[in-house]
Amino acid sequence: MELQKKLEILSGAAKYDVSCSSSGSKRKNTKVGIGNGSSCGICHSWSDDGRCISLLKILLTNYCVYDCAYCVNRISNDVPRATFTPEEVAGLTINFYKRNYIEGLFLSSAIIKNPNYTMELLYQSVKILRTQHRFNGYIHIKAIPGSDLNLIELTGQLVDRMSVNIELPSSNGLKMLAPQKEKQSILKPMGFINSKILQTKEEKRIVKKTPSFVPAGQSTQLIVGATPDHDLSIIRLSEKLYQHYRLKRVYYSAYVPVTSQNPNLPAINKPPLLREHRLYQADWLLRFYGFSAQELLNESMPNFDTKVDPKANWALNNIHLFPVEINRADYETLLRVPGIGVRSAQKIIRARKVKSLDMDDLKKLGIVLKRAKFFITCKGKYNGGLDINDKLIRYALTDDVKTYDITTQWEQLSLFPMLDSMPTLNDNFMSITGEI
Ligand code: SF4
């Protein structure tokens, strides 16, 4: 099969994996090498649905011996198949890099023959890139659950980031839709990567030249909406992954309906993108705003309100804590005000050292008051224009999002796009910047 055809098939097949992003890696070029993982700032381009586009994102193969019901690459699905050789992966990456199309590589794979065989091919691909082509750009690779930990270790020494995709948020979900997979075989490599990262950091403190191991950390992907799991169980799982496995990111991927006779799959015809968006917002709240999963949702309210964002929802459910006085509230309290993000809270803290702030001062600081005005006072004055009543404010905030349209263009960009489908930055700004 021609390389171009393979590329079409295997870049198309990779679009369902959203667990790629930049960051964290400080890999520098060498005198005789090519590429630079730090200065080229990998992955700061995003498609309009928030997915990164500046890596060459491909599967090594889409032949799969597994039959996960939600996946287009499952063995029982009749789709065109292809496999790259490790040399082809390395050659393509270098060619694309030299032409300035990409800044790095995101390499994932279906399971061809068995996990070890697949992991070996992935390892060979990055080994050729790093040693023969002396490529020092960013590489994010998938660790294959069930493969030998030695192979994962060798690969981890060559790449910047690894991810082990959990995909389905619960053991029940796995049993229903991916019975060949086991939770434990997914968590085992994740635990191993985490301990190797910690060990390498320790060793580097003593011996500076200790080889790196996955310097940009690990990430995972959860599929949203393929199983009946609630948002609460999803964000609880994310919280645990951040705490116990020190993941850099959990990515959420709305289930893209596939043609299948499996009765366990939900009968939907569009990916639940608004739900995915709310989970990304909640994820930011867990990582940067000091919220716990249990504060955001509970058993009696296990799913996010699609009409207001999770922080506003929390504030409305805790309206007795508001309004907060902008000139006195501590940083952590400011962060809990809907509409005030990390940068805004920092600006307020700095500015109020100089003077007492009123609404005009906040506007001059560039603070967006559309939502925040309902939850704050400035010099004791409330400018929300409504009684501090959760129902009234919820209605006002819901009006605010009535025009929110996330139903368009959910597909990841093709590597062969028409010009008019190139990415734009628009209404997923919040999920990227985290200013919630
Ligand atoms: S193992 Fe991965 S590629 Fe294979 S069917 Fe399952 S989800 Fe798809």
Side-chain angles (χ1 to χ4, degrees):
M1 186 186 286
E2 274 183 20
L3 194 57
Q4 171 82 13
K5 187 69 192 159
K6 284 189 187 179
L7 188 55
E8 279 180 34
I9 293 172
L10 293 169
S11 61
K15 70 185 178 185
Y16 301 98
D17 198 324
V18 297
S19 62
C20 68
S21 122
S22 67
S23 60
S25 181
K26 292 190 169 59
R27 184 185 299 279
K28 291 271 190 324
N29 195 9
T30 57
K31 274 186 187 162
V32 289
I34 182 167
N36 190 325
S38 57
S39 66
C40 56
I42 299 297
C43 267
H44 294 133
S45 300
W46 299 83
S47 67
D48 57 355
D49 60 356
R51 296 171 193 198
C52 75
I53 54 165
S54 63
L55 303 177
L56 172 60
K57 183 174 176 180
I58 47 174
L59 296 191
L60 177 88
T61 180
N62 67 340
Y63 282 101
C64 196
V65 291
Y66 288 7
D67 201 27
C68 308
Y70 55 87
C71 177
V72 285
N73 297 322
R74 66 191 186 277
I75 191 170
S76 60
N77 202 21
D78 184 18
V79 287
R81 307 273 175 176
T83 303
F84 284 129
T85 63
E87 290 77 12
E88 284 172 337
V89 172
L92 271 173
T93 308
I94 275 297
N95 271 323
F96 275 52
Y97 188 87
K98 283 181 177 168
R99 288 183 211 173
N100 229 5
Y101 292 169
I102 54 145
E103 296 156 288
L105 170 68
F106 173 82
L107 183 61
S108 182
S109 186
I111 315 291
I112 186 165
K113 291 192 184 173
N114 57 57
N116 271 340
Y117 182 80
T118 312
M119 196 68 223
E120 174 76 36
L121 291 177
L122 291 171
Y123 166 64
Q124 290 300 336
S125 305
V126 290
K127 192 175 171 200
I128 293 169
L129 255 179
R130 291 289 193 223
T131 55
Q132 290 182 22
H133 295 285
R134 297 174 192 275
F135 179 71
N136 283 310
Y138 183 88
I139 300 179
H140 176 164
I141 206 164
K142 197 53 57 76
I144 305 294
S147 60
D148 196 297
L149 296 182
N150 287 334
L151 269 173
I152 292 178
E153 183 171 1
L154 288 171
T155 312
Q157 288 165 355
L158 296 172
V159 302
D160 297 276
R161 176 168 283 191
M162 282 186 124
S163 49
V164 189
N165 279 359
I166 293 182
E167 309 279 23
L168 299 176
S170 65
S171 300
N172 277 348
L174 282 172
K175 269 185 214 141
M176 267 169 55
L177 299 179
Q180 289 151 303
K181 290 182 175 173
E182 279 173 15
K183 192 175 162 194
Q184 220 34 48
S185 72
I186 299 169
L187 294 179
K188 191 175 163 191
M190 212 177 243
F192 175 75
I193 294 167
N194 182 34
S195 63
K196 282 301 296 178
I197 292 173
L198 286 173
Q199 186 191 332
T200 307
K201 275 190 184 156
E202 279 303 309
E203 287 171 6
K204 261 188 188 288
R205 272 195 207 132
I206 303 160
V207 184
K208 281 218 157 163
K209 287 195 171 166
T210 303
S212 293
F213 183 86
V214 192
Q218 60 172 329
S219 57
T220 192
Q221 164 176 289
L222 298 174
I223 294 177
V224 177
T227 54
D229 297 292
H230 292 130
D231 293 343
L232 175 60
S233 48
I234 294 174
I235 58 162
R236 267 190 190 150
L237 174 60
S238 301
E239 189 175 54
K240 275 191 198 137
L241 293 170
Y242 287 129
Q243 287 169 357
H244 298 162
Y245 295 93
R246 302 178 333 108
L247 259 63
K248 286 280 179 190
R249 285 295 302 270
V250 175
Y251 291 89
Y252 306 91
S253 178
Y255 163 61
V256 179
V258 292
T259 315
S260 169
Q261 303 302 321
N262 191 312
N264 292 327
L265 283 170
I268 55 173
N269 52 19
K270 276 187 196 161
L273 285 170
L274 187 50
R275 191 174 168 203
E276 176 194 283
H277 181 69
R278 292 285 177 245
L279 284 163
Y280 270 116
Q281 290 177 317
D283 189 273
W284 279 91
L285 298 182
L286 295 183
R287 288 186 299 140
F288 301 114
Y289 289 71
F291 283 88
S292 66
Q294 201 60 36
E295 280 180 289
L296 295 172
L297 292 172
N298 53 53
E299 279 71 13
S300 59
M301 191 180 56
N303 285 313
F304 288 113
D305 188 331
T306 51
K307 297 207 175 78
V308 292
D309 68 76
K311 190 156 99 171
N313 196 46
W314 171 83
L316 291 166
N317 291 336
N318 292 277
I319 199 71
H320 59 284
L321 301 175
F322 296 95
V324 299
E325 169 55 45
I326 219 76
N327 291 292
R328 283 198 304 274
D330 59 26
Y331 178 70
E332 287 71 26
T333 307
L334 286 175
L335 274 186
R336 291 191 166 224
V337 175
I340 295 185
V342 173
R343 282 178 303 177
S344 300
Q346 287 169 349
K347 279 186 200 169
I348 291 168
I349 297 277
R350 274 197 303 271
R352 73 187 189 188
K353 283 183 186 156
V354 182
K355 63 178 287 210
S356 192
L357 305 176
D358 58 26
M359 288 295 267
D360 286 338
D361 294 322
L362 294 181
K363 281 181 201 158
K364 280 181 203 152
L365 286 172
I367 314 275
V368 181
L369 295 167
K370 220 170 170 182
R371 279 173 296 150
K373 67 180 178 187
F374 298 115
F375 301 94
I376 57 170
T377 55
C378 296
K379 297 185 187 174
K381 195 169 170 210
Y382 181 70
N383 288 290
L386 296 171
D387 286 347
I388 301 172
N389 172 300
D390 59 322
K391 289 190 181 65
L392 290 176
I393 299 174
R394 185 180 291 274
Y395 184 73
L397 292 175
T398 304
D399 260 356
D400 190 34
V401 295
K402 267 180 186 161
T403 53
Y404 183 80
D405 179 14
I406 199 165
T407 57
T408 56
Q409 303 199 26
W410 48 267
E411 285 194 23
Q412 187 198 312
L413 289 176
S414 160
L415 271 176
F416 314 96
M418 302 298 290
L419 275 182
D420 62 1
S421 66
M422 292 302 280
T424 56
L425 289 171
N426 54 17
D427 54 4
N428 269 0
F429 179 74
M430 270 205 295
S431 41
I432 297 167
T433 63
E435 289 287 307
I436 304 169

